[in-house]
Amino acid sequence: MLEPSIPRAATAPGTYHPLSIGAHWLTLALLAAIYALIEMRGIFPKSSDAHQLMKTWHNMLGLTVFGLVFVRLALRAVYPAPSIDPPPPAWQDTLARAMHWALYAFLLVMPLLGWMLLSAKGKPIPWFGLELPALMAPDRSTAKALEEIHEVIGVLGYGLIGVHAAAALWHHYAMRDDTLHHMWPPARPRPPAGSAPRVAHEPE
């Protein structure tokens, strides 16, 4: 987690802080792996080691996203989001904020449901060599209900992620603002006009 003494580093105009950018793309990579693991596990028989290994990694990466969300929320508090140029209409700004908070809720609720599901099934909750505590006592009916909810929200997650990506592309190509550039590392500053580049001289 972040230390409270982290200084407020200057953020380049039109971009998020590099830590926020890194956390964003790491979240995307983890989500891609999580969905791939759970979709591809059916390639192997349920009783096979490969099937179980893919489920284990699905669970561990999901719990990693759960922790990463709190890091991202802390970064959001320390390093505010840059303004969009040109500014969008108020209704678009409101809709974008609602979408962002819906994504945060999804990233928190899904891993938490998975944690509760493993607990209700009476299974261990592994996380890279550690075993996390159960959140509830084993119960078959509760486990079945949680599994159904987890699967439904997982399908809705495809839509949330797709709409989020489509909105970023729409802002970039249709609105022609700098929304998409916010999540790219800032460009290297150009040298002042008229300054000649230094040329290394070979020894005579």
Side-chain angles (χ1 to χ4, degrees):
M1 294 296 291
L2 296 173
E3 296 293 335
S5 59
I6 287 181
R8 285 178 175 266
T11 303
T15 64
Y16 282 89
H17 188 274
L19 289 175
S20 300
I21 295 173
H24 172 272
W25 293 111
L26 176 58
T27 302
L28 177 61
L30 289 171
L31 283 176
I34 288 166
Y35 271 108
L37 286 166
I38 208 63
E39 295 291 349
M40 295 174 63
R41 76 192 190 281
I43 296 174
F44 306 98
K46 288 187 176 181
S47 58
S48 66
D49 292 339
H51 183 96
Q52 295 303 318
L53 183 62
M54 294 179 84
K55 289 179 65 176
T56 298
W57 273 98
H58 171 84
N59 296 331
M60 292 194 300
L61 294 182
L63 291 169
T64 302
V65 168
F66 183 71
L68 186 58
V69 172
F70 293 99
V71 175
R72 291 188 62 180
L73 290 172
L75 287 169
R76 190 182 182 94
V78 175
Y79 305 110
S83 58
I84 299 174
D85 184 31
W91 68 268
Q92 287 187 16
D93 185 63
T94 301
L95 193 61
R97 290 177 185 274
M99 172 59 69
H100 279 123
W101 288 114
L103 282 167
Y104 278 123
F106 167 74
L107 295 174
L108 285 171
V109 169
M110 280 296 283
L112 186 58
L113 282 171
W115 192 346
M116 294 169 63
L117 175 58
L118 290 175
S119 303
K121 286 185 174 182
K123 295 184 177 181
I125 300 98
W127 190 74
F128 298 103
L130 302 176
E131 186 170 331
L132 303 182
L135 297 180
M136 60 178 61
D139 184 87
R140 283 189 177 183
S141 59
T142 301
K144 185 177 181 180
L146 288 172
E147 190 166 19
E148 291 177 356
I149 296 171
H150 189 71
E151 290 178 357
V152 170
I153 298 179
V155 173
L156 293 176
Y158 280 116
L160 278 175
I161 297 168
V163 169
H164 178 65
L169 294 174
W170 183 73
H171 273 275
H172 185 72
Y173 291 106
M175 300 296 294
R176 296 190 177 278
D177 57 34
D178 61 353
T179 299
L180 190 60
H181 292 288
H182 287 176
M183 271 302 166
W184 293 111
R188 183 178 299 175
R190 296 180 179 179
S195 61
R198 297 179 61 185
V199 179
H201 295 281
E202 296 183 0
E204 297 181 356

